[in-house]
Amino acid sequence: MTDTAREEILGRINQALGRRGGGEYVSSVSGTVPAGAPAAGPPAAGAPAEAPHAQPGAPAAGGGTVDQSADYLRTGTHEGEDLIEVLIDRLEDYKANVHRVSGDPAETIAGLLESGSKIVVPRGLDDSWLNAFTGDVSVDAPGQELSVPELDTQAAVVTASAVAIAQTGTIVLDGSPECGRRAITLVPDHHVCVVRVEDVVDIVPEGIARLTPSAALTFISGPSATSDIELKRVEGVHGPRTLDVIILGSAP
Amino acid sequence: MTFLGMPLLPSTRRDRPTIPGGQGNIVEDESFAEVSHQHLSNQQLRNNIGHATSTIREKRADVVAELDDWEELREAGSRAKNHVMENLPEYLAEFEANFTAAGGVIHWARDADEANAIVTELAEANAPVLDSGRREVIKVKSMATQEIGLNEHLETQGIDAFETDLAELIVQLGDDKPSHILVPAIHRNRDEIRDIFEEKMPDAGDLTNDPTELAEAARRHLRHKFLTTKVAVSGANFGIADTGSLGVVESEGNGRMCLTLPETLITVMGIEKLLPSFDDLEVFLQLLPRSSTGERMNPYTSFWTGSTPGDGPQNVHLVLLDNGRTRALADEHGRTALNCIRCSACMNVCPVYERTGGHAYGSTYPGPIGAILSPLMTGVEAEENGSLPYASSLCGACYDVCPVKIDIPSILVHLRNEDAEANHSPVSSQLDTALTGASWMMSEGKRMATAESGLPIAHAVTGGEQINSLPGIAGAWTSSRDIPALPEKSFRQLWAEDEARAEEEDDES
Ligand code: SF4
């Protein structure tokens, strides 16, 4: 039944676009076949998908690439300490707490956590970062994942990050060993996140360019928030209500 | 540049192939004229909506002004979406192949009924029957599932769907309908919300009307559900063709909870939501949050590609929904309405929306975009839908703010023409005549300005009283709708003054 639906929907689209009989397709806007479109015309409605899993850098398998020859900014203008300052400003604007550390972050991390409390960390976190913390550390690793109820008893989570975008105050976690599974940074109420200065970029396009698309990605800009009641911003609904960001290293 | 006065486009309606329209909550059940009449008399609602739209409008203007390349980003966004629509079969096939290769399962749904049946079947297979004899799923706010009336359908099938977005929860507990696509409960004030929570949330206890306390009550209410429910249903803001990834943009973390903790994730997404490549996100992740909530970035954005081993739901499904989208695609003059990324900016600037609120549009999609999208997806032949293209003053503000440059005013004019042709009702043709005049007047800035400069005089003549009826052509219009007292100044003048004032204040601070 679903197969029939697929065929029928693709058929309707072809009909809507004026591609009668699966012949050559002429764009109604440009009047030409768009760049990258298959030369032999579109697949007939219902034809099995032929597109291979896209390889990085390979031309798009289907409708071609978008002409991005224009025009919007793809690299920012901030550098060095300026760049870090923009990031701090935007993070604080979003009610994250920001801490600058140039050397060993262990003392700062311990200071943010309640001594004696239970915390969870991803398997790839630098051990030395927890040297000053006195409490119960659970390491979430494949085969030893904490269950959801277990995660719910953790006071905090400490992770690293993949990329931080200064202009928007955004930190990206990518599921790598240092960032961990998505659930560990979601269920505990307090997230301590370490951002290395070399992972800070200025604007969104620079951030996107550094990411691996197939990873499960979480973009975080400040702690959880809602404005659903009379547009009054309330921090902390369902995600972690406190976000501490440690910016590690000195700007080049 | 909005060509408001362009000659009415020749209709292609008659020779257009017959592609079935959508069903469910996109079809108005009452005409805009009738419902808006009721809402115009609700002062509380108008105050709440007015406050919300003006606040978001200002925030949006501020964060958009921060970007020097805003116009270029809009242009890129518009180009990417046009390109997707023109090559939709190829992009759908590419997306399908990549999503499937990553372990996801795709289901195609021609209409609301079919989509509802697919979700029901998946929920029955994966959500256990509880002691109550019913099954439960948790939901992320989603326009697509609202459109197909999924919650109502599931309920009849013994499945309770819990909305987890705070606003959707307020709407759901209050047995109400969303009035705005971004802030669905914006028509409710804090006292009303407190009353709803006290009455409908078991264990809520006594609450004050403090938003922080109300949010905390919602957190407690939903926490257990998040941690124990096996099946979640979501929508998607983006589907990425070259990687097969899906993305959800949100604020509260309820989205992350639903997308991450359950074992099974069922996503319902319109076929028009595709972007060609992952790189296009560099454009859309700038356009969407700024246009929508007026933030540089929303607090949380999640992307997933099929299932990720050891991380998140391992049983991942996607329902690709037509439900009238192909019908809209067939309208060459209206097709770009499918480019909409549901930011809601057009609602927040619309003087008509501000007065009537979202319920008056009678559809899941309110405001200027709803006034074109609903009739495009379902057809103007249905009489109520035929009234929607008139729910606009054609001031052009919606086009100016739209992050993907949808020329809503031109499409409105085109649909009015279609309605006139399809229905031949005296009202339509009278409105049509009136509109030809309006088009002529609006076609040139100077004529418009001249007409507007007459407003203070007209205001003086009518003594600032509300006008309840007008003679002649406009009579049919005012018989079902009060025209507000003529303002002393036109919307354009007020807008310009407002902007100037905001700039001044900025300079001062
Ligand atoms: S039509 Fe444009 S402004 Fe309106 S909701 Fe859609 S994208 Fe936003």
Side-chain angles (χ1 to χ4, degrees):
Chain A
M1 155 152 154
T2 315
D3 270 356
T4 327
R6 180 186 192 278
E7 246 169 72
E8 198 170 317
I9 292 170
L10 288 171
R12 288 176 188 175
I13 298 170
N14 282 321
Q15 191 184 354
L17 293 172
R19 304 180 186 187
R20 296 207 174 80
E24 196 174 18
Y25 161 54
V26 177
S27 157
S28 61
V29 171
S30 63
T32 56
V33 179
E50 280 160 25
H53 197 70
Q55 298 301 316
T65 49
V66 187
D67 171 22
Q68 294 289 24
S69 52
D71 32 8
Y72 60 85
L73 303 174
R74 303 189 82 172
T75 46
T77 50
H78 296 97
E79 287 178 353
E81 199 52 37
D82 280 354
L83 178 62
I84 305 302
E85 259 167 40
V86 174
L87 177 64
I88 293 174
D89 175 70
R90 302 297 148 88
L91 285 168
E92 286 179 342
D93 200 30
Y94 272 139
K95 308 290 185 278
N97 311 314
V98 185
H99 317 270
R100 267 318 278 282
V101 178
S102 51
D104 180 2
E107 287 295 337
T108 309
I109 290 175
L112 294 170
L113 301 169
E114 205 186 315
S115 62
S117 65
K118 285 162 69 174
I119 67 161
V120 56
V121 299
R123 72 178 193 280
L125 198 83
D126 187 334
D127 284 347
S128 71
W129 289 0
L130 297 175
N131 277 347
F133 172 65
T134 54
D136 182 1
V137 180
S138 301
V139 178
D140 187 83
Q144 303 158 32
E145 285 98 351
L146 275 71
S147 68
V148 173
E150 278 167 342
L151 282 175
D152 200 28
T153 64
Q154 308 297 314
V157 54
V158 181
T159 71
S161 56
V163 175
I165 302 168
Q167 187 183 47
T168 57
T170 304
I171 296 167
V172 189
L173 306 178
D174 66 354
S176 61
E178 278 192 322
C179 295
R181 284 190 301 143
R182 285 172 285 172
I184 68 168
T185 51
L186 174 62
V187 180
D189 203 18
H190 179 191
H191 184 188
V192 177
C193 186
V194 177
V195 172
R196 296 190 174 86
V197 286
E198 57 268 30
D199 294 329
V200 180
V201 297
D202 193 0
I203 65 174
V204 174
E206 294 168 296
I208 298 292
R210 287 208 191 184
L211 296 170
T212 307
S214 57
L217 299 169
T218 306
F219 290 54
I220 297 175
S221 307
S224 153
T226 183
S227 301
D228 281 340
I229 302 172
E230 294 184 13
L231 293 184
K232 295 279 176 290
R233 187 173 166 103
V234 177
E235 266 81 36
V237 197
H238 304 298
R241 283 180 281 194
T242 309
L243 175 64
D244 278 297
V245 180
I246 295 174
I247 300 180
L248 184 62
S250 14
Chain B
M1 178 69 203
T2 312
F3 298 101
L4 284 173
M6 68 183 163
L8 293 177
L9 294 161
S11 170
T12 49
R13 197 178 57 83
R14 282 206 200 80
D15 25 278
R16 187 176 314 144
T18 44
I19 293 179
Q23 357 153 303
N25 297 333
I26 8 171
V27 192
E28 281 184 282
D29 39 20
E30 289 170 282
S31 86
F32 179 83
E34 279 160 34
V35 191
S36 62
H37 183 71
Q38 297 156 19
H39 287 288
L40 280 168
S41 57
N42 183 340
Q43 192 60 38
Q44 174 75 55
L45 176 125
R46 287 178 64 176
N47 288 349
N48 292 353
I49 300 233
H51 170 67
T53 52
S54 60
T55 308
I56 304 175
R57 207 157 62 211
E58 280 164 30
K59 282 179 69 186
R60 178 198 162 276
D62 287 349
V63 295
V64 162
E66 279 181 11
L67 294 187
D68 294 335
D69 58 343
W70 183 252
E71 285 310 314
E72 287 80 10
L73 285 167
R74 284 179 80 207
E75 184 58 40
S78 157
R79 204 169 43 216
K81 288 304 262 186
N82 284 339
H83 179 80
V84 167
M85 295 318 154
E86 301 225 331
N87 299 278
L88 199 51
E90 289 76 22
Y91 280 125
L92 282 166
E94 187 186 3
F95 174 85
E96 182 184 45
N98 289 330
F99 185 81
T100 308
V105 183
I106 293 203
H107 312 259
W108 298 71
R110 280 167 283 210
D111 53 32
D113 286 348
E114 197 163 32
N116 285 333
I118 294 167
V119 178
T120 304
E121 209 175 293
L122 288 169
E124 281 172 350
N126 295 288
V129 178
L130 305 174
D131 292 345
S132 59
R134 296 179 68 84
R135 298 172 207 269
E136 290 184 354
V137 301
I138 46 177
K139 279 196 67 211
V140 195
K141 171 172 163 4
S142 137
M143 300 306 295
T145 57
Q146 178 71 34
E147 170 192 320
I148 61 177
L150 180 66
N151 293 4
E152 297 86 327
H153 175 80
L154 289 178
E155 201 185 330
T156 65
Q157 304 299 304
I159 303 166
D160 294 317
F162 290 91
E163 291 292 349
T164 62
D165 172 78
L166 179 54
E168 289 289 353
L169 178 71
I170 295 166
V171 168
Q172 190 177 44
L173 293 179
D175 258 332
D176 199 356
K177 284 183 178 171
S179 60
H180 189 286
I181 65 178
L182 170 67
V183 274
I186 201 61
H187 56 290
R188 296 284 199 182
N189 65 25
R190 59 179 78 188
D191 294 326
E192 295 173 295
I193 295 169
R194 187 224 16 236
D195 294 347
I196 293 170
F197 280 12
E198 282 186 347
E199 190 189 331
K200 295 288 177 57
M201 275 184 190
D203 315 325
D206 285 340
L207 299 169
T208 70
N209 65 2
D210 175 16
T212 310
E213 193 180 322
L214 294 171
E216 174 66 28
R219 179 183 174 100
R220 281 197 311 269
H221 174 69
L222 286 174
R223 186 88 182 167
H224 182 68
K225 290 253 179 298
F226 283 133
L227 304 189
T228 56
T229 308
K230 302 282 180 235
V231 176
V233 178
S234 84
N237 292 89
F238 307 111
I240 314 290
D242 74 342
T243 61
S245 313
L246 293 171
V248 163
V249 167
E250 48 127 4
S251 285
E252 293 173 11
N254 66 305
R256 290 179 68 194
M257 290 275 180
C258 293
L259 302 172
T260 309
L261 299 183
E263 291 166 6
T264 298
L265 173 60
I266 307 163
T267 303
V268 181
M269 179 178 84
I271 52 173
E272 83 286 14
K273 288 274 168 183
L274 294 184
L275 297 180
S277 77
F278 188 78
D279 290 342
D280 291 301
L281 290 172
E282 68 186 30
V283 174
F284 287 89
L285 286 185
Q286 298 195 72
L287 291 174
L288 181 55
R290 286 180 200 261
S291 301
S292 176
T293 47
E295 293 174 293
R296 298 186 184 104
M297 188 70 85
N298 50 289
Y300 295 129
T301 300
S302 303
F303 290 103
W304 69 100
T305 308
S307 60
T308 308
D311 186 352
Q314 298 299 298
N315 187 19
V316 175
H317 295 261
L318 173 67
V319 181
L320 274 172
L321 179 68
D322 178 354
N323 203 37
R325 285 160 177 78
T326 47
R327 193 191 186 288
L329 190 70
D331 186 332
E332 270 183 76
H333 306 297
R335 177 180 295 172
T336 52
L338 292 174
N339 295 2
C340 174
I341 56 173
R342 314 274 190 263
C343 73
S344 78
C346 55
M347 270 148 251
N348 297 328
V349 297
C350 179
V352 175
Y353 176 89
E354 186 162 329
R355 281 171 180 74
T356 62
H359 290 155
Y361 295 79
S363 160
T364 296
Y365 303 105
I369 182 63
I372 57 172
L373 199 56
S374 309
L376 282 166
M377 287 169 70
T378 55
V380 287
E381 290 78 5
E383 202 186 327
E384 293 80 8
N385 274 331
S387 83
L388 275 177
Y390 302 97
S392 165
S393 66
L394 295 181
C395 73
C398 49
Y399 177 45
D400 292 340
V401 294
C402 178
V404 286
K405 298 180 81 164
I406 301 171
D407 186 352
I408 297 174
S410 292
I411 301 177
L412 284 164
V413 172
H414 157 65
L415 288 173
R416 288 176 184 188
N417 188 36
E418 286 229 323
D419 171 58
E421 246 187 51
N423 295 319
H424 293 291
S425 72
V427 178
S428 310
S429 54
Q430 283 185 346
L431 277 166
D432 207 36
T433 314
L435 275 159
T436 311
S439 302
W440 171 82
M441 186 182 75
M442 293 182 188
S443 66
E444 236 177 66
K446 255 192 246 150
R447 282 187 207 133
M448 186 75 185
T450 312
E452 283 176 349
S453 62
L455 279 172
I457 302 170
H459 180 83
V461 169
T462 55
E465 298 290 319
Q466 192 173 61
I467 301 169
N468 292 319
S469 65
L470 285 176
I473 287 170
W477 176 238
T478 49
S479 68
S480 59
R481 183 178 186 282
D482 292 346
I483 292 186
L486 286 176
E488 286 180 66
K489 291 175 179 169
S490 73
F491 178 75
R492 285 179 165 200
Q493 289 163 340
L494 284 172
W495 181 259
E497 284 175 16
D498 239 32
E499 300 273 286
R501 203 178 316 123
E503 263 172 41
E504 244 169 60
E505 282 169 10
D506 269 2
D507 291 346
E508 281 162 18
S509 61

